[in-house]
Amino acid sequence: MLSKLEHLDLEGTRVKGDVESLSDPDVQRSALKQIDLSNTAVGGNIRVFQAFTDLTHLYLSNTLVFGDIRGFEATQKLTELRLEATGISGNIKSFQRTTHLQHLALSQTHVAGDIEVFTSTPSLQMLTLDATQVQGDIKVFDSHPELSVLQASSTNLRGDINVFNSTQDLNTLSLSDTNVSGGIEVFASLVAVTQVILRDTHVHGSVSSFQHVHGLEGVDLSATGVEGDIRVFEDKEKLSIVKMSSTKIIGDVRVFERCQKLQWLELSSTNVTGDVKVFRGKEFLRHLTLASTQVLGDLGDLVSENSTCALKVLDLSNT
C-alpha cells in the first residue's frame, strides 16, 4: 500500500506520536523522498531516518524529536533539512558527506562543532544556526557564492564580514552577538540584501554603504562602531525595522517620513535630531525608542485619540 509513497506532508496538523513508527517495514520499503512533520506534536528519536537513504527533503522544525544528528551521515541525498527548535544534539561534522545540502536549519538546538565542515557543501544556499554551540571562522563562506541566507546569531563565530563580498545573492545576514568584525562597506556591492542583523559585534564603517540597497527591510547595528548620517535611509520605503542605538550615527529623523511600513525604530543614545511629529500617522509603528537623543516635539502628535499610530513602546527619556 505504501510502496509508491514519495511525499508525506502533515505539517501543521494535529498529528502526534513517535517517529519510530516510520520504522515499519512497509514504510521503509517505500520511495519516500520528502517528509514534512513540522509544527506538530510528533516526537521520538531521529535515528529512524538513517534508514531512508533516498530522502531529499526532511522538515521536523518545532516538534518534539530528539537524538544525535550523526544519523544523517547515511542520508547523503539530502538537499533540505530543517530541525529548528527541537531537542536534537551532536556535532555538525556529521554533514561532511552530505555534499548536496542546499538548505540546513538547526537554530535553537543543542548542536555544536566547527563550521569548517561546510567547505564540503558548496551548494549551500540557506543556513540557520542561531543560539547553538557552533564555532569557527566565517571565511568558510568565501566558497559559497550561492549563499542567500545566513543566520547564526548568539554563536561562537568569528571573522571578517568582507568574506561575503562574493555572495551577490545574499539576502539575509544575521550574526548578532558574535565575534565577527570588519567594515560594513561590503554592503555597497550586496544590493540584494534585505536584512542585516549585526547587533553587538565588532563591525564598523559608514551607513552610507547602504545607499544602493533599495530593498532594505530590516537593519540592526546597535552597539557597533558604525557611524554616518541616517539620511541614507530616506528612500528605503520598505524599511520596517531600524535598530541603531549606541552608535555614532547622526541626522534628522524626518528622513523616515516616507517609510510608511516602519514598525520598530531604535535610535537611543545617538546624536539624531528632529521633530517627533514625523511619526504621526504611521499606522504600523509599534516600537519607538529615542532616549538620550536630541529630538524634540509635542507628544500629543503621537498619543492623541485621533492619532492613527498604534505604539506599544515609547521611550523619549532624556530628550
Side-chain angles (χ1 to χ4, degrees), residues 182-247:
I184 62 172
E185 288 79 12
V186 66
F187 295 107
S189 61
L190 300 178
V191 295
V193 75
T194 62
Q195 301 285 339
V196 178
I197 316 296
L198 295 169
R199 186 187 192 104
D200 290 308
T201 63
H202 306 295
V203 300
H204 55 82
S206 174
V207 292
S208 63
S209 302
F210 295 107
Q211 181 178 356
H212 300 297
V213 187
H214 300 297
L216 194 63
E217 298 175 8
V219 56
D220 187 351
L221 292 166
S222 295
T224 64
V226 301
E227 58 187 4
D229 198 312
I230 56 176
R231 66 184 175 205
V232 70
F233 300 118
E234 190 170 16
D235 63 344
K236 308 295 187 290
E237 297 183 7
K238 294 183 179 181
L239 266 181
S240 61
I241 298 175
V242 179
K243 301 180 182 181
M244 304 193 73
S245 295
S246 301
T247 61

Side-chain angles (χ1 to χ4, degrees), residues 97-199:
R97 298 170 61 189
T98 317
T99 58
H100 300 293
L101 270 177
Q102 296 177 7
H103 294 184
L104 178 62
L106 301 172
S107 295
Q108 299 179 59
T109 63
H110 306 294
V111 300
D114 197 308
I115 59 172
E116 186 178 9
V117 66
F118 296 120
T119 56
S120 62
T121 57
S123 299
L124 203 59
Q125 298 173 13
M126 185 200 79
L127 178 63
T128 69
L129 297 166
D130 297 310
T132 62
Q133 296 300 309
V134 299
Q135 60 183 7
D137 196 316
I138 57 175
K139 66 182 180 182
V140 67
F141 300 114
D142 187 39
S143 59
H144 292 73
E146 297 181 21
L147 190 67
S148 62
V149 176
L150 176 60
Q151 297 176 199
S153 294
S154 300
T155 61
N156 294 314
L157 298 193
R158 64 184 186 281
D160 193 316
I161 60 172
N162 280 292
V163 72
F164 300 110
N165 191 49
S166 59
T167 54
Q168 295 300 307
D169 293 329
L170 192 64
N171 175 277
T172 299
L173 181 64
S174 177
L175 294 170
S176 292
D177 191 24
T178 64
N179 286 315
V180 299
S181 58
I184 62 172
E185 288 79 12
V186 66
F187 295 107
S189 61
L190 300 178
V191 295
V193 75
T194 62
Q195 301 285 339
V196 178
I197 316 296
L198 295 169
R199 186 187 192 104

